[in-house]
Amino acid sequence: MLAAPLGVALSATLVWSSSQSAFSGTTVNPGNALTAGSVSLTDDDTGTAMFSVTGLKPGSTGSRCIQVTYAGSLASTVKVYVAPGGLTGTGLGTYLHLTVEEGTPGTYSSCSTFAATATDYTGTLSGFAASATSFATGVGAWAPTGAGQVKTYRVTYTLQDNNAAQSLSATVAVTWEAQNS
C-alpha cells in the first residue's frame, strides 16, 4: 500500500524537477509609440462674410481675397466647393458670374497685391454650387505638404445684364476642405 503513494510522489517530483530545468530566452522591443498626423485649415476672414452687398445693378462687380493657411502635418490637397444647401435665396445665383482664382499674396483685408497663379472656376454662382458640391467634385490645385503653407483665393462676382435678375437674392457658404493624400 505504501508503494502506490510513494510512486505518485516520486513521479510528481520527477515531473516538477524536469520542468524546472528547461532553457529559456526572451527579447523585448520597448517604447513603441504611434501618433496620427493631422489635417487642418484656417483662414483670415475673422468669421465675417466675404460679401454683403445690396442694390446690385447690371455690371456691378466686386472681388475679395481670403488667405487660407494649412496647419496640418500630412501632405494634403485643398478643394473649394459649395456644400448641398449652401446656396440659398431667390435665384440671383443664375445671374451672377463668378470667378475663383488661387494666388499670392493678398489677404482678407486687401487684394491689392494679389497675383493669380490659377483659375479654379469661372461661370455662374448657380453653376458652381451645382457642380462643385463636395471635396470629390470641388475645384482647386493647392497641395500643401506641411504646416504653415499659405494660399490666397480671390473670389470675383459680376451681375449679368439681364432684366430677370431684378429683386433676386443669393446667399452662399463657400467651403475650403483639405484631405490628406
Side-chain angles (χ1 to χ4, degrees):
M1 285 238 201
L2 264 183
L6 185 59
V8 170
L10 184 57
S11 294
T13 301
L14 287 174
V15 169
W16 178 78
S17 66
S18 66
S19 64
Q20 290 297 317
S21 64
F23 291 118
S24 173
T26 62
T27 186
V28 176
N29 176 252
N32 293 296
L34 301 133
T35 303
S38 64
V39 174
S40 176
L41 289 176
T42 59
D43 64 55
D44 68 339
D45 69 6
T46 63
T48 58
M50 291 180 80
F51 303 105
S52 182
V53 184
T54 59
L56 294 173
K57 60 185 180 182
S60 290
T61 189
S63 59
R64 193 76 188 249
C65 287
I66 188 168
Q67 192 177 75
V68 178
T69 301
Y70 185 72
S73 63
L74 299 173
S76 297
T77 302
V78 177
K79 298 290 183 171
V80 183
Y81 61 89
V82 176
L87 175 61
T88 59
T90 59
L92 187 61
T94 302
Y95 304 102
L96 282 171
H97 182 79
L98 184 72
T99 302
V100 178
E101 299 167 291
E102 293 181 24
T104 58
T107 64
Y108 188 74
S109 60
S110 175
C111 278
S112 65
T113 59
F114 179 81
T117 56
T119 300
D120 294 337
Y121 178 80
T122 186
T124 66
L125 174 57
S126 293
F128 182 58
S131 64
T133 59
S134 66
F135 182 85
T137 58
V139 300
W142 185 32
T145 56
Q149 295 178 6
V150 177
K151 180 66 69 175
T152 301
Y153 293 83
R154 179 170 59 190
V155 178
T156 304
Y157 70 85
T158 304
L159 183 61
Q160 297 173 9
D161 187 3
N162 189 320
N163 201 43
Q166 286 190 67
S167 299
L168 297 180
S169 66
T171 301
V172 64
V174 180
T175 300
W176 281 262
E177 181 178 347
Q179 288 190 9
N180 67 292
S181 338

